[in-house]
Amino acid sequence: MALKDGNEASTYIIQSQEEEIKRIALELHEGISQNLYSLYTGLGFLETGIEDPHMRSYAKEMATLMERTIQEVRLLSVELYPNTLTTLGLISALKSYSKLYTSTFGILVNFESTGDEIVMSEQKSMAVLRVCQEALINIAKYADATSASIRFTWKEKSVKIQIEDYGKGFDVIKVMKRNHFTGIAAMKERMILAGGKCHVTSKLANGTTVSISLPIQREGEF
């Protein structure tokens, strides 16, 4: 009973966090991102009227920095809560996120999906999305890789996902003992609460693989 109550409490906390995250993502997209774009276009207009070559070069650098900042804010907004998750489904949301991820970090993401996508509950879809995002962000931070892959394999009542990179890898047991890569623990916890499993394997100089397995109950089934 205690374990069940603990899981219910964790689920409630995560759902509450997701609602707040959704609000912040909307503000980033509708407010801050739009303001930054207005500043970016204003800088471009000012640049055309500057005669001093050094000042024109400086204005151009500032415009380039502003453009990159806009990309990062857009990525953050999509990372926090992609609107396409509820409208177009998990695969579309991840593909959209992967494109922004590549444009921001320069890491190419190869995306594959085998079988027919099954419509999942928002809780399960969000859990998978969060784990994939965490895995990709870890690749950008630590893997020193130029490419990664995400592979979905859909079965009748389950889905398996593999996120792989071809970077420098790490000793999973050692970093977990040192309490590094706390994102790994978060990924595992999210999948447990969604009824699935998450397993991380890595070898030095041979990259890292995050494997997810999740049973799916189709709508209308009991």
Side-chain angles (χ1 to χ4, degrees):
M1 177 65 72
L3 180 61
K4 182 179 179 181
D5 291 343
N7 284 345
E8 288 177 352
S10 296
T11 300
Y12 174 77
I13 290 170
I14 288 175
Q15 288 176 343
S16 298
Q17 288 175 336
E18 291 294 352
E19 287 300 318
E20 181 63 12
I21 286 170
K22 187 188 297 186
R23 184 191 67 78
I24 295 170
L26 184 62
E27 176 61 26
L28 282 172
H29 180 71
E30 299 294 339
I32 295 173
S33 183
Q34 296 298 325
N35 291 341
L36 287 173
Y37 185 75
S38 295
L39 290 171
Y40 169 70
T41 55
L43 277 172
F45 177 75
L46 289 175
E47 182 188 341
T48 61
I50 297 175
E51 295 182 0
D52 185 286
H54 296 292
M55 291 302 295
R56 190 185 306 117
S57 177
Y58 180 70
K60 186 175 182 179
E61 288 178 10
M62 291 301 98
T64 300
L65 177 60
M66 184 67 72
E67 184 178 23
R68 179 170 177 80
T69 302
I70 291 169
Q71 281 187 324
E72 290 175 351
V73 169
R74 285 175 177 169
L75 176 67
L76 180 58
S77 176
V78 172
E79 183 181 352
L80 286 172
Y81 194 87
N83 292 327
T84 51
L85 182 64
T86 53
T87 57
L88 299 177
L90 178 60
I91 296 297
S92 293
L94 271 171
K95 283 183 177 179
S96 177
Y97 175 77
S98 296
K99 289 179 180 178
L100 278 173
Y101 174 88
T102 297
S103 67
T104 302
F105 296 109
I107 300 172
L108 181 64
V109 180
N110 298 306
F111 203 101
E112 296 179 22
S113 181
T114 304
D116 296 327
E117 180 178 1
I118 300 173
V119 177
M120 295 186 283
S121 67
E122 186 175 356
Q123 179 191 358
K124 287 182 183 288
S125 294
M126 187 60 73
V128 173
L129 178 73
R130 293 299 188 217
V131 173
C132 290
Q133 288 177 334
E134 181 70 32
L136 287 174
I137 291 299
N138 283 342
I139 291 170
K141 286 182 177 178
Y142 309 112
D144 193 22
T146 58
S147 63
S149 67
I150 301 178
R151 289 196 297 272
F152 275 72
T153 303
W154 299 91
K155 301 294 185 180
E156 185 177 355
K157 293 186 177 182
S158 66
V159 62
K160 291 185 178 180
I161 307 107
Q162 280 195 321
I163 306 104
E164 293 182 290
D165 70 70
Y166 314 101
K168 59 185 180 182
F170 63 97
D171 187 320
V172 177
I173 296 176
K174 184 180 292 185
V175 298
M176 289 294 285
K177 284 182 177 179
R178 291 178 179 175
N179 202 30
H180 292 170
F181 281 64
T182 53
I184 294 176
M187 289 190 291
K188 290 177 178 290
E189 178 69 13
R190 278 190 177 275
M191 291 315 304
I192 289 171
L193 292 174
K197 296 179 181 179
C198 177
H199 185 61
V200 179
T201 58
S202 185
K203 289 184 179 180
L204 293 174
N206 283 303
T208 301
T209 301
V210 177
S211 301
I212 303 167
S213 59
L214 182 66
I216 303 172
Q217 183 175 333
R218 292 179 181 271
E219 293 186 357
E221 292 184 345
F222 298 94

